[in-house]
Amino acid sequence: MEKREAIGDDGIPGRLREVQARIQAATERAQRPPDSVALLAVSKTHDAEAVRAAHAAGQRAFGESYVQEAIEKIALLADLTDIEWHFIGRIQANKTRQIAARFDWVHGLFDPAHARRLSEQRPSDLSPLKVCIQVNVDGEATKGGVVPDAVAAMIAACEALPGLDVRGLMTLPAPAEDEDAQRVPFSALRFLRDRLATPSRPLDCLSMGMSDDLEAAILEGATLVRVGTAVFGPRPYNAG
């Protein structure tokens, strides 16, 4: 019953419209162009039919964190040839080959060894894997990511790898209660991007902001927000 409600007309399509309205309102508030922020619908732990419902409502980019779950979902949705798959989970060395072969984007890359494996294992018939470097902007010990002072070196290492296309930066800051506090780490990532960007390497993707703080992220220049719960509803934690 819960699954049927989640994919009904008043479920995912309605929530998707609400999230898109939030993005539009924040974009207008920031006085940015109307199409300057993309939505990545985080579909991890939700089944293929939930993704299919979001796709039917116009969503095309989906984020997954668990490789085996994602592979099964990608196979079930192979008929939807315009889906763009983003890997947003913690990368494990023994899963890089599958990630390199099945995904269009990787967010959260911060280990040079993983970068080399992804490049080497990217199938030659596919375009280079688009990647965002994860930055630990607030120095949380439990969070992955490159410290700000090491981002330039990480970008240079990735640019030397033919199987990768460095597209931007990503961060996952600690939760904050109010918008002003939420904006601080997002502002730090934007300033870092502005300092490192060049005409040949614009770093045009700022992957930051989720269900609870997407407005703050957009005000600070996010070009892609990663939203799961606000689109798909609560995660079914008993799933795989």
Side-chain angles (χ1 to χ4, degrees):
M1 295 295 292
E2 291 180 357
K3 182 182 295 185
R4 184 175 296 278
E5 181 182 358
I7 63 176
D9 289 341
D10 295 326
I12 289 172
R15 288 194 292 267
L16 190 58
R17 288 192 296 270
E18 291 174 0
V19 170
Q20 291 166 338
R22 288 176 61 191
I23 292 172
Q24 180 179 352
T27 303
E28 291 174 355
R29 183 178 162 201
Q31 298 183 322
R32 296 175 55 189
D35 296 326
S36 58
V37 182
L39 170 62
L40 178 62
V42 177
S43 47
K44 64 179 182 181
T45 76
H46 296 280
D47 63 20
E49 289 310 303
V51 175
R52 193 176 290 278
H55 180 275
Q59 180 63 26
R60 293 296 179 266
F62 295 89
E64 295 285 332
S65 294
Y66 310 113
V67 173
Q68 192 55 45
E69 175 196 329
I71 288 174
E72 294 170 3
K73 211 175 294 184
I74 290 168
L76 289 169
L77 298 167
D79 58 304
L80 305 180
T81 57
D82 57 350
I83 282 188
E84 186 176 77
W85 293 104
H86 296 234
F87 186 76
I88 61 171
R90 193 70 172 258
I91 298 171
Q92 297 175 293
N94 65 344
K95 299 293 177 64
T96 55
R97 185 176 299 278
Q98 295 163 304
I99 294 170
R102 303 301 182 97
F103 287 86
D104 304 293
W105 284 74
V106 168
H107 302 241
L109 181 62
F110 60 87
D111 185 327
H114 291 163
R116 288 191 296 272
R117 290 174 67 91
L118 289 170
S119 177
E120 292 167 358
Q121 295 166 348
R122 182 68 169 172
S124 59
D125 61 328
L126 297 179
S127 60
L129 184 64
K130 300 177 181 69
V131 299
C132 287
I133 307 302
Q134 183 172 350
V135 184
N136 191 339
V137 293
D138 42 19
E140 281 189 276
T142 58
K143 288 274 177 67
V146 182
V147 296
D149 288 345
V151 174
M154 182 65 186
I155 291 174
C158 290
E159 285 188 315
L161 300 170
L164 302 184
D165 177 14
V166 181
R167 292 296 304 273
L169 306 179
M170 172 267 200
T171 195
L172 184 64
E177 291 299 322
D178 63 84
E179 188 177 89
D180 287 343
Q182 290 172 345
R183 291 180 66 168
V184 172
F186 297 142
S187 175
L189 191 72
R190 175 171 54 87
F191 278 113
L192 179 64
R193 188 280 308 275
D194 292 347
R195 180 165 62 84
L196 296 175
T198 67
S200 62
R201 186 192 64 213
L203 301 176
D204 56 338
C205 183
L206 277 180
S207 172
M208 58 188 195
M210 299 188 295
S211 293
D212 293 335
D213 57 10
L214 68 86
E215 286 85 2
I218 290 170
L219 289 172
E220 291 299 338
T223 65
L224 182 147
V225 292
R226 309 179 304 270
V227 179
T229 301
V231 171
F232 292 104
R235 293 176 190 162
Y237 286 102
N238 61 337

